[in-house]
Amino acid sequence: MDLTIIMPMYNVEKYIKQAIESISDQLVDNVELLVVDDGSTDNSLMVATKFIESLGSLKNIKLLHKENGGLSDARNFGLLNASGTYVWFFDSDDVMPRNTIDIIMRLVNEFPDLIHFEVAKFNSDERLPEQPLKYDFKWGKGIDLVKKLLKVKFPSYAVSYVVKKSVLEEINFSFPFGKLYEDLFTTFRVFNGADNIIDLHIFKPYYYRMNPASITAKVSTKSLINRIEAASTIKTFVESNTELPWDLIGHIVAYVQFDMFNYSDPDKKSISLTLKKIQRLVFSHISMKTKLKYTVIKWAGKSYIVRMIWIKLRSLRGKI
């Protein structure tokens, strides 16, 4: 098997058929889809089972079951069961554009360690964005992707790359159990573990559903703390290489500070102290222009009207 697509599924009865169908229509013999039911409590399992059974002889779709452990745990479970040389993490409320597998497999046959691409965002009440039939790509190094990610040139989405399973094995990879914003903890490590990479341009092989009700769109003590933990993890990595930028760490800290305005929690004071320590360190490594930008983001959270406008823009752009 050349490629395994890993799709965790939890309480997405409204979207799961569209997600599976968009992939099943394109499947070829050397590509498999693993749908990992993470203990859904709605009708997701029934909908998925019924649709997969309706496909009849299509044998390279497997429906796996496990007790609920969260997104990271479901992705890790899928990774353990993946037989493909390459793996692709795919969310169960998103959609695969037509012609995607054909294009991705052409790039897989170039034998890169990793294929990186942009996603096309859409809202549920919108038509799917049109995709051009053409594409282009450039070869590069994993460390170049790391630097772009740390400069916040694109988000840390785990769905935005196809990677050799052997690369993940070499870095002893797994998603952190029970964490929100798990992609922040891991994407930079995956890019850093890859040597030769392909950066796909023009064609965007992933429709990313903008969902304001998602768990990472809600402010909670856990979401604040997990983002601070991710910032600290990235900080440790960046400190080991003086050539790496600190912008992403500052970006995370600024948005946590933004979210903390008008948020009451017994741990707020200790969280604020931790943030200030990280911020002082970050500000000694970034430009004055970047400092000003993050200061504006931080204080934008204080005004309710500005805050609402900013949150809307932030959701549209898919930022942290």
Side-chain angles (χ1 to χ4, degrees):
M1 195 67 65
D2 290 336
L3 173 64
T4 297
I5 301 169
I6 299 169
M7 180 186 289
M9 178 180 72
Y10 181 75
N11 289 1
V12 283
E13 61 182 13
K14 186 177 178 181
Y15 305 121
I16 186 62
K17 180 179 180 293
Q18 183 185 23
I20 297 174
E21 187 174 23
S22 70
I23 297 173
S24 66
D25 286 346
Q26 306 182 48
L27 281 180
V28 290
D29 290 342
N30 55 346
V31 180
E32 67 174 354
L33 169 62
L34 302 185
V35 181
V36 181
D37 176 45
D38 190 38
S40 294
T41 57
D42 68 353
N43 292 318
S44 297
L45 180 57
M46 181 186 71
V47 173
T49 301
K50 185 177 180 180
F51 179 71
I52 292 172
E53 288 177 349
S54 74
L55 297 174
S57 60
L58 196 60
K59 300 186 184 301
N60 45 348
I61 298 182
K62 298 176 183 177
L63 182 55
L64 308 177
H65 308 277
K66 60 179 289 298
E67 293 183 1
N68 179 251
L71 178 59
S72 288
D73 197 45
R75 284 175 172 173
N76 291 336
F77 186 81
L79 188 57
L80 288 173
N81 287 274
S83 59
T85 303
Y86 290 81
V87 295
W88 185 2
F89 301 105
F90 203 103
D91 289 347
S92 54
D93 57 349
D94 294 334
V95 181
M96 180 179 286
R98 288 176 294 180
N99 303 312
T100 289
I101 287 182
D102 176 59
I103 291 173
I104 291 296
M105 292 312 298
R106 291 185 195 182
L107 299 180
V108 162
N109 288 332
E110 298 283 341
F111 305 109
D113 291 328
L114 183 143
I115 303 164
H116 174 257
F117 44 83
E118 293 184 36
V119 303
K121 301 181 181 73
F122 74 103
N123 292 316
S124 294
D125 56 353
E126 295 177 338
R127 294 182 61 183
L128 293 173
E130 291 292 331
Q131 283 289 335
L133 295 177
K134 62 180 180 178
Y135 70 95
D136 192 15
F137 68 92
K138 292 183 179 179
W139 284 93
K141 294 293 183 180
I143 190 62
D144 297 324
L145 277 183
V146 173
K147 291 177 180 178
K148 289 180 181 178
L149 177 67
L150 295 177
K151 288 291 287 184
V152 203
K153 298 296 184 182
F154 46 74
S156 298
Y157 299 149
V159 299
S160 67
Y161 59 82
V162 173
V163 62
K164 269 186 179 178
K165 191 177 179 183
S166 60
V167 170
L168 301 183
E169 292 169 344
E170 286 170 8
I171 63 173
N172 195 26
F173 176 87
S174 66
F175 289 98
F177 180 79
K179 302 288 187 186
L180 302 178
Y181 297 92
E182 61 286 327
D183 300 355
L184 286 176
F185 288 88
T186 54
T187 300
F188 73 92
R189 291 188 58 229
V190 176
F191 290 172
N192 192 56
D195 184 14
N196 297 310
I197 64 98
I198 283 177
D199 214 347
L200 176 61
H201 300 291
I202 305 176
F203 184 81
K204 297 178 181 179
Y206 196 98
Y207 287 137
Y208 184 99
R209 190 184 304 271
M210 301 303 295
N211 183 6
S214 70
I215 54 175
T216 52
K218 300 174 183 177
V219 179
S220 65
T221 300
K222 184 175 183 178
S223 76
L224 298 173
I225 291 175
N226 284 172
R227 279 181 285 171
I228 294 170
E229 290 172 338
S232 297
T233 300
I234 298 169
K235 180 178 74 69
T236 300
F237 172 72
V238 169
E239 285 175 330
S240 67
N241 188 333
T242 57
E243 295 183 359
L244 295 177
W246 287 66
D247 298 51
L248 179 57
I249 307 168
H251 184 86
I252 297 169
V253 169
Y255 273 111
V256 172
Q257 291 171 323
F258 174 94
D259 284 335
M260 286 183 66
F261 281 111
N262 302 315
Y263 178 74
S264 299
D265 186 270
D267 297 323
K268 187 172 181 177
K269 186 173 181 180
S270 62
I271 292 173
S272 296
L273 290 172
T274 302
L275 283 171
K276 287 178 181 178
K277 289 179 182 178
I278 299 175
Q279 185 185 53
R280 281 196 294 270
L281 185 59
V282 171
F283 272 29
S284 67
H285 290 85
I286 60 179
S287 68
M288 183 59 67
K289 181 180 178 181
T290 306
K291 290 178 190 176
L292 179 61
K293 180 175 75 171
Y294 292 153
T295 301
V296 170
I297 291 172
K298 169 188 171 181
W299 288 103
K302 193 169 185 179
S303 165
Y304 177 79
I305 295 175
V306 175
R307 178 182 173 81
M308 292 301 102
I309 295 172
W310 200 287
I311 288 173
K312 179 64 176 177
L313 292 173
R314 180 177 162 193
S315 67
L316 291 174
R317 296 177 64 193
K319 292 296 184 181
I320 295 163

